Amino acid sequence: MVEILSPAGDLDRLKWALTYGADAVYIGGYDYSLRANANNFSLTEIKEAVDFAHNMNKKVYVTVNIIMHNEDLEKLDEYLKNLNEAGIDAYIVSDLAVIKRIKDLKLKPEIHISTQESTVNKEAVKFWEKLGVSRVVLGRECSKEDIKDIKENTKIELEVFIHGAMCTSYSGRCVLSNYVTKRDSNRGGCSQVCRFSFDIDDSEDFQICTKDLCMIDYIGELIDIGVASLKIEGRMRSLYYIATVVNAYKQIVTKKIDGTLNQETLEYYKKVLRKVSNRENSVQFYDREPGVNEQYYTGRQEVSNQDFLGIIIDYKEGYATFEQRNNFKVGETVEIFGPNKEAKKFIVEEIKNKDGEEVKVAAHPQEILKLKVPFEVQKNDIIRIPIS
């Protein structure tokens, strides 16, 4: 079974990703991680994450993928050994020095080559293979032909990005952040200067921002090629985003493998993915060289998603106790979806507050309320505006 690999910016989102269908998660510790602005994980939290994942027969990979300077090597051995003792399943690395230390220390976790290495050809993959690497995360710039050629000529596992933000440069090799904000993109501090608006020729709205990646139409092809892991980007994304995207791709993969995937289902989940994102998306490099339609130049807008209405806490005798997130009211149609299950719609007939009093509107974020639901739901199911 092909792996669905989800990001997780903290312990809470890790649990949601695994609950909603991810087979593995990738996370960062406080050190050596390229998402320094994510909450990230202490060593104690990494151990808790591993225990949670392994109890579900799932995996945890930890990023150790900054570009290493001499001072970074001083505490590297201790950190690698601590991760080994925590029981992680793989290190995600980009520096040969880290590979050497893992090998010298005879540590147990697998070694995965990060996308920061921009591996896009078979000879590079063969090189990593000879070093005892278990998996290579291919650069987002690979075409379908590239991926097939690499798979046919190498033996190790391949991981491919299927959804999320794109880097305007080859991943992590941009120096705009360093130049404009003095934050090093290759050491975890990227300020996403490519999303800034620049004043050029009296226009204050010029950008060099790429649209997001979405490979939902090609999941079947990637499975047939033999890709081992399908990777979702977004360690700084919200709980709702992670749950929705992971659930959508898990449904697509499951239906592809059991032979029930059809165009109607595909179109439905394309709508789900479009609604949860705040940027447009495209296939990018997979089927052709990206052009003007795969990038923003002017007029980019990012609207916050307001579809997330609440999280189910409990269900009893026809009423769901839930934690409210965005406004909805009696008379509106909502839907509930959950881990590895399809959404069901219904009209809101009754909402009660904690005192059992009927209210017309769920209007206060994180208020605990009760909702009459005409079918059984479970803890951690999500209420949202229906997909249409």
Side-chain angles (χ1 to χ4, degrees):
M1 182 92 171
V2 65
E3 175 185 270
I4 298 289
L5 177 58
S6 172
D10 57 30
L11 192 56
D12 192 33
R13 280 175 280 189
L14 176 142
K15 292 177 178 180
W16 278 85
L18 294 174
T19 299
Y20 267 76
D23 303 293
V25 290
Y26 63 99
I27 67 176
Y30 290 159
D31 302 306
Y32 306 109
S33 169
L34 272 168
R35 284 293 177 267
N37 293 325
N39 290 341
N40 290 323
F41 292 70
S42 67
L43 285 169
T44 300
E45 288 171 328
I46 290 173
K47 182 64 170 68
E48 184 178 343
V50 169
D51 290 343
F52 183 88
H54 288 182
N55 283 337
M56 299 178 71
N57 198 28
K58 299 185 177 188
K59 297 180 179 181
V60 175
Y61 311 142
V62 177
T63 56
V64 190
N65 60 344
I66 66 168
I67 290 179
M68 295 281 171
H69 289 220
N70 286 328
E71 61 268 22
D72 298 313
L73 300 176
E74 295 176 5
K75 296 183 179 180
L76 178 62
D77 286 9
E78 179 184 3
Y79 184 64
L80 293 173
K81 287 189 285 188
N82 285 336
L83 292 179
N84 178 66
E85 291 171 5
I88 71 166
D89 298 283
Y91 305 101
I92 304 174
V93 310
S94 64
D95 196 309
L96 284 165
V98 181
I99 297 177
K100 184 178 188 305
R101 297 314 304 146
I102 293 169
K103 292 294 183 180
D104 288 349
L105 293 167
K106 296 180 171 57
L107 300 177
K108 182 179 178 181
E110 294 181 354
I111 301 173
H112 296 178
I113 296 299
S114 171
T115 189
Q116 303 308 124
E117 268 297 335
S118 301
T119 305
V120 294
N121 67 76
K122 58 191 173 188
E123 295 302 327
V125 175
K126 289 177 183 178
F127 171 79
W128 298 121
E129 195 170 13
K130 288 179 180 178
L131 291 183
V133 166
S134 302
R135 178 186 295 183
V136 173
V137 186
L138 295 180
R140 293 172 178 84
E141 298 78 19
C142 281
S143 67
K144 174 183 176 179
E145 289 71 26
D146 293 331
I147 298 170
K148 288 181 66 176
D149 190 32
I150 292 169
K151 179 60 185 174
E152 289 168 1
N153 288 281
T154 61
K155 297 178 181 178
I156 64 176
E157 292 183 350
L158 300 180
E159 183 176 304
V160 172
F161 276 93
I162 59 168
H163 199 87
M166 294 286 293
C167 188
T168 299
S169 175
Y170 278 85
S171 295
R173 304 208 173 198
C174 176
V175 294
L176 278 176
S177 181
N178 306 55
Y179 183 78
V180 176
T181 67
K182 299 186 184 303
R183 286 168 50 181
D184 193 339
S185 58
N186 300 303
R187 291 167 62 76
C190 181
S191 55
Q192 298 186 330
V193 174
C194 56
R195 303 199 189 280
F196 289 11
S197 292
F198 295 93
D199 185 356
I200 297 178
D201 293 334
D202 296 322
S203 170
E204 296 181 356
D205 193 29
F206 181 80
Q207 302 144 22
I208 53 173
C209 172
T210 54
K211 296 179 181 179
D212 282 3
L213 174 69
C214 180
M215 289 283 289
I216 188 169
D217 284 319
Y218 298 96
I219 297 302
E221 286 188 5
L222 291 172
I223 292 172
D224 292 340
I225 289 170
V227 169
S229 181
L230 305 175
K231 186 171 191 172
I232 298 163
E233 182 276 337
R235 275 192 276 158
M236 296 173 68
R237 299 280 195 167
S238 70
L239 174 158
Y240 175 65
Y241 178 93
I242 295 297
T244 303
V245 174
V246 167
N247 182 72
Y249 279 108
K250 188 66 173 182
Q251 292 288 333
I252 295 298
V253 168
T254 300
K255 291 178 183 297
K256 161 65 180 175
I257 290 173
D258 67 21
T260 62
L261 182 62
N262 55 41
Q263 194 61 36
E264 182 181 357
T265 300
L266 197 60
E267 292 301 321
Y268 170 77
Y269 282 109
K270 285 163 75 171
K271 291 178 182 178
V272 170
L273 294 177
R274 280 197 296 268
K275 287 201 72 174
V276 77
S277 179
N278 61 356
R279 288 189 293 268
E280 296 177 63
N281 56 51
S282 74
V283 179
Q284 296 294 348
F285 290 85
Y286 183 78
D287 62 345
R288 63 186 179 277
E289 284 290 322
V292 295
N293 294 324
E294 282 70 48
Q295 183 160 326
Y296 295 104
Y297 294 98
T298 59
R300 176 173 61 92
Q301 295 182 343
E302 297 185 6
V303 180
S304 296
N305 185 286
Q306 302 295 314
D307 292 352
F308 182 19
L309 302 180
I311 300 170
I312 302 297
I313 298 172
D314 192 19
Y315 179 80
K316 188 175 181 181
E317 298 177 350
Y319 286 86
T321 303
F322 71 99
E323 181 183 275
Q324 190 265 2
R325 291 302 175 94
N326 280 296
N327 289 13
F328 68 98
K329 60 181 181 291
V330 172
E332 292 183 337
T333 299
V334 301
E335 68 182 20
I336 297 178
F337 77 103
N340 303 314
K341 70 173 70 168
E342 297 181 1
K344 289 185 179 181
K345 299 179 184 179
F346 65 100
I347 297 173
V348 177
E349 295 181 357
E350 188 177 347
I351 305 172
K352 294 182 179 181
N353 64 21
K354 64 180 180 180
D355 298 319
E357 301 166 336
E358 289 193 22
V359 296
K360 295 298 182 182
V361 183
H364 305 291
Q366 296 189 295
E367 183 180 9
I368 305 301
L369 299 165
K370 286 192 174 183
L371 173 67
K372 187 175 181 181
V373 181
F375 49 83
E376 186 174 354
V377 294
Q378 282 80 39
K379 181 180 179 180
N380 294 331
D381 284 356
I382 288 176
I383 312 168
R384 70 182 176 199
I385 293 173
I387 302 300
S388 58

